[in-house]
Amino acid sequence: MSCSDPYVPEPVDRGGITFLAPASTTDSIEAVVRVEIEVRGREGQPLSGHNVRFQARNGTVHRTSDAGIPYAAIIDTTSDEAGRASVYHQLAPAAGPTHIVVTVDRYLDSLRFDVLPGRLARLTPVPRDTALAVGRTYDITISPADRRGNARTDDVSGAVFRSTSPSIVVSAGGTVGTVQGGRGVIEIQVASITDTAHVSVVPPGTLAVIDSGVRLLDLESHAAPMIVSGATDACPSWDPDASRVLLRGLRLVTPDGTETFLSQNFGVTPGCGEFSRDGEWIYFEAGYATGGIPSEIWRIRPDGTGVEQITTIAEGRARSPSPSPDGTRVAYVAQDNNSLFEVLVVRDLATKKVDSISERIQVCCDICCAGGISSVRWSPTGEWIAYTLKTWQHIHSFSVRSWTHGSYIRLVSPDGLQLQHVAPAGLPPEHYGFLGGVSWSPDGEWLVGKAFYSDLRIRLVHVPTGDALMLNGSTRAYAEPAWRPPSP
């Protein structure tokens, strides 16, 4: 180029995406806003007929504002003659910053939205649910929130608290006091908004539970230190002085994790067991060493001596032994060797007389079944024998297999003349469900078990009233709870 040639600048790219709407990028949760863009090329000309992609990083988008049409995360549309395109963007249900990204050919841009909480809809008491013993107090605080749980800054100092249960009292400032065992409900009101909190007033105690091992679960604090790992089929029970836990296979473990195995040189494989009330015997189920299926009842001294066989295979299969408080009898599940039925029986240890005290229960077959008896526990007072009745149904449909299950808790008197269901209050009749074993409190007032309905967590059931108390501070689905006796 000579010095006389005029200067010609390089072309300037005036293209890109321009957001024409919305007028404001601040709105409340789940609001629907119209987003319109205009796209122009390098020379500033509108780009018509080009694919325009709208992508909501939070929230959703759609071509119309019709609430009946499902929204999506990504929408592709086409620019019109003026290079414009639009969608409807529904903001996210969570408050905070979010954005929508627009892509046209090599152009990309985004629009930020500040999503605000919605109107006050919840009071969100903290704690919403807890468990405490009688005579304790705690304070409820309120975290105001919208319908989606997003925090708000409303003044809730004028909240009104009311107790609707005799189990608790609550002060004007939200201090809750526990009065008696049961399920407590606290109503909370601010203006026209109401909410509820709950508290289970539970007896003090500690449970041995299964959770990838054996833990000791405190009913109040929910602390649950592990004492044995890996024992997921341990079926724990306590010795009477609360110093050791008996696990499957005649395995004894102390709360500090010290383990002892009793002698097993008697030709069978020990299963689950239970101490006698005086601590003199351990009654346990046992199967043949080759298969290990429970088929006989044995007992042994806690020091590993004096092993005795209580039932024989000639009498039929036997499992799940539970001795009476006075040590003169033992309850267990009996089944004829060639029968599909089993029954709960009580055996007099001196006379060897056996009495059936329950109806005959069909056990599982290949196609369908009622289930059978899954756990037997004689109450500390001697008045009742508790057992869980599995209710399984197995349905074959071509290659599809369906299972439904639950487990009733039943109480039967040792003579078999009285029978009642323990029906947790507030649960539908078809969901009086408990999975696996149950355990008595030392005073015989409570049963504890892993609930089938509705969250597979441990519940305490008050036997006289049927009140079922949730231990919501215990967030894990523990299994096979065994109530620790009071230390001497």
Side-chain angles (χ1 to χ4, degrees), residues 29 92-96 115-118 122 143-152:
I29 60 166
V115 184
L116 303 177
R122 300 180 184 176
S143 296
D146 64 16
R147 67 182 184 278
R148 292 294 191 177
N150 297 293
R152 292 179 52 89

Side-chain angles (χ1 to χ4, degrees), residues 205-207 209 215-226 473-475 478:
T206 300
L207 307 176
V209 295
R215 295 181 181 272
L216 299 184
L217 173 64
D218 185 273
L219 290 178
E220 268 200 285
S221 69
H222 312 296
M226 181 84 74
S474 170
T475 58
Y478 299 119

Side-chain angles (χ1 to χ4, degrees), residues 127-307:
R128 181 175 288 279
D129 207 326
T130 190
L132 289 175
V134 173
R136 300 297 183 91
T137 62
Y138 69 100
D139 294 324
I140 291 181
T141 60
I142 299 175
S143 296
D146 64 16
R147 67 182 184 278
R148 292 294 191 177
N150 297 293
R152 292 179 52 89
T153 58
D154 302 73
D155 180 10
V156 293
S157 59
V160 177
F161 298 87
R162 291 183 294 269
S163 169
T164 65
S165 309
S167 300
I168 58 172
V169 292
V170 59
S171 71
T175 298
V176 179
T178 57
V179 178
Q180 64 185 46
R183 187 71 167 153
V185 181
I186 303 104
E187 290 185 349
I188 308 165
Q189 184 171 358
V190 174
S192 62
I193 307 299
T194 61
D195 213 325
T196 56
H198 297 80
V199 56
S200 293
V201 186
V202 301
T206 300
L207 307 176
V209 295
I210 302 300
D211 170 43
S212 68
V214 181
R215 295 181 181 272
L216 299 184
L217 173 64
D218 185 273
L219 290 178
E220 268 200 285
S221 69
H222 312 296
M226 181 84 74
I227 61 171
V228 175
S229 61
T232 56
D233 64 344
C235 49
S237 64
W238 289 89
D239 69 354
D241 64 6
S243 63
R244 293 175 297 179
V245 181
L246 173 67
L247 307 180
R248 181 186 296 274
L250 298 181
R251 182 181 180 185
L252 293 169
V253 59
T254 62
D256 65 4
T258 303
E259 297 184 57
T260 304
F261 287 84
L262 300 186
S263 171
Q264 299 179 16
N265 298 322
F266 37 85
V268 292
T269 301
C272 301
E274 184 179 343
F275 273 89
S276 62
R277 188 58 49 86
D278 59 9
E280 293 295 317
W281 293 101
I282 295 173
Y283 289 79
F284 63 96
E285 61 188 25
Y288 293 116
T290 54
I293 299 174
S295 56
E296 298 168 348
I297 305 300
W298 294 65
R299 70 179 183 177
I300 192 172
R301 299 288 186 183
D303 62 1
T305 63
V307 62

